[in-house]
Amino acid sequence: MTTKISVFGGSSPKPETDAYQQAVQLGRLLGEAGYTVLTGGYSGTMEGVSRGASESGGHVIGVTTDEIESWRPEGPNPWVMEEKRCKTFRERLNTLVEDCDAAIALPGGIGTLLEISLAWNLLSINVIETKPLILVGKEWQKIMNTFIKELSDYIPMANREFIAYAPNPKSALDLLKYFSGSCSQN
């Protein structure tokens, strides 16, 4: 069985932006390493990661939902090889968080923050098996450091250890390989 990596990130980056190119790079690195990549299946970061993974020979699963497509008429991006269709946004969110062996978050907005928060919370309360949760970019590290500093009484040290930070996609892949004890690849 191949190791599945969910990648979270924003839907707005366009192909000409650095954020999109960073997503392509991460997807390429994951594909070259033999990982199966799960994304939200649509545009922006999800498309960039799907593209990079697909073009490097990796397998891409797009987790899509009827609810999103009811207000944004957009199907899966062209690099999705396998579509996992969900009826609701919540089902899609849970699939991305639960049906992976590790998760990586690129920069994004409210939806990406929701994915990170859900994964972190489920890890913290032992609802899902321990798995790497890697946040890419100085923005996430700054946000989380502020959150932890300001609300430290509510965030036990053990819960803080569920999150790892990487400055770029290459470092994220290195961390993923480092955590291979809890995320073994076949």
Side-chain angles (χ1 to χ4, degrees):
M1 183 169 76
T2 304
T3 301
K4 296 187 285 187
I5 311 300
S6 282
V7 180
F8 312 139
S11 63
S12 59
K14 303 290 184 226
E16 63 277 3
T17 65
D18 288 342
Y20 185 96
Q21 292 307 314
Q22 182 182 50
V24 171
Q25 180 189 15
L26 178 61
R28 184 177 302 115
L29 290 168
L30 292 170
E32 288 170 353
Y35 295 107
T36 293
V37 176
L38 281 80
T39 74
Y42 297 113
S43 60
T45 298
M46 298 170 278
E47 179 183 304
V49 170
S50 299
R51 181 178 184 173
S54 176
E55 289 177 350
S56 66
H59 185 70
V60 178
I61 300 171
V63 184
T64 60
T65 177
D66 298 336
E67 281 185 342
I68 287 178
E69 292 180 26
S70 72
W71 58 268
R72 184 175 69 195
E74 169 185 12
N77 70 64
W79 291 278
V80 167
M81 301 166 164
E82 177 184 339
E83 183 179 12
K84 187 163 191 171
R85 190 76 173 173
C86 300
K87 285 187 182 246
T88 67
F89 179 79
R90 287 183 186 148
E91 181 185 348
R92 175 181 178 251
L93 180 61
N94 287 326
T95 298
L96 284 166
V97 169
E98 295 175 11
D99 290 357
C100 66
D101 300 297
I104 299 174
L106 290 167
I110 298 167
T112 308
L113 181 60
L114 174 63
E115 291 161 334
I116 292 167
S117 297
L118 179 62
W120 190 17
N121 187 60
L122 294 180
L123 287 166
S124 296
I125 61 174
N126 297 313
V127 170
I128 58 176
E129 286 186 35
T130 300
K131 60 181 84 176
L133 176 57
I134 302 167
L135 311 187
V136 180
K138 65 182 187 284
E139 305 89 354
W140 286 129
Q141 189 161 10
K142 184 177 178 181
I143 289 165
M144 292 302 187
N145 286 344
T146 301
F147 177 65
I148 290 168
K149 179 183 174 198
E150 296 298 325
L151 297 167
S152 62
D153 291 344
Y154 300 96
I155 307 162
M157 196 59 81
N159 291 350
R160 300 173 198 186
E161 295 174 5
F162 286 114
I163 296 179
Y165 303 97
N168 55 53
K170 172 71 171 85
S171 296
L173 182 67
D174 291 344
L175 275 173
L176 191 58
K177 289 178 178 179
Y178 173 78
F179 291 125
S180 64
S182 63
C183 182
S184 60
Q185 182 180 345
N186 294 329

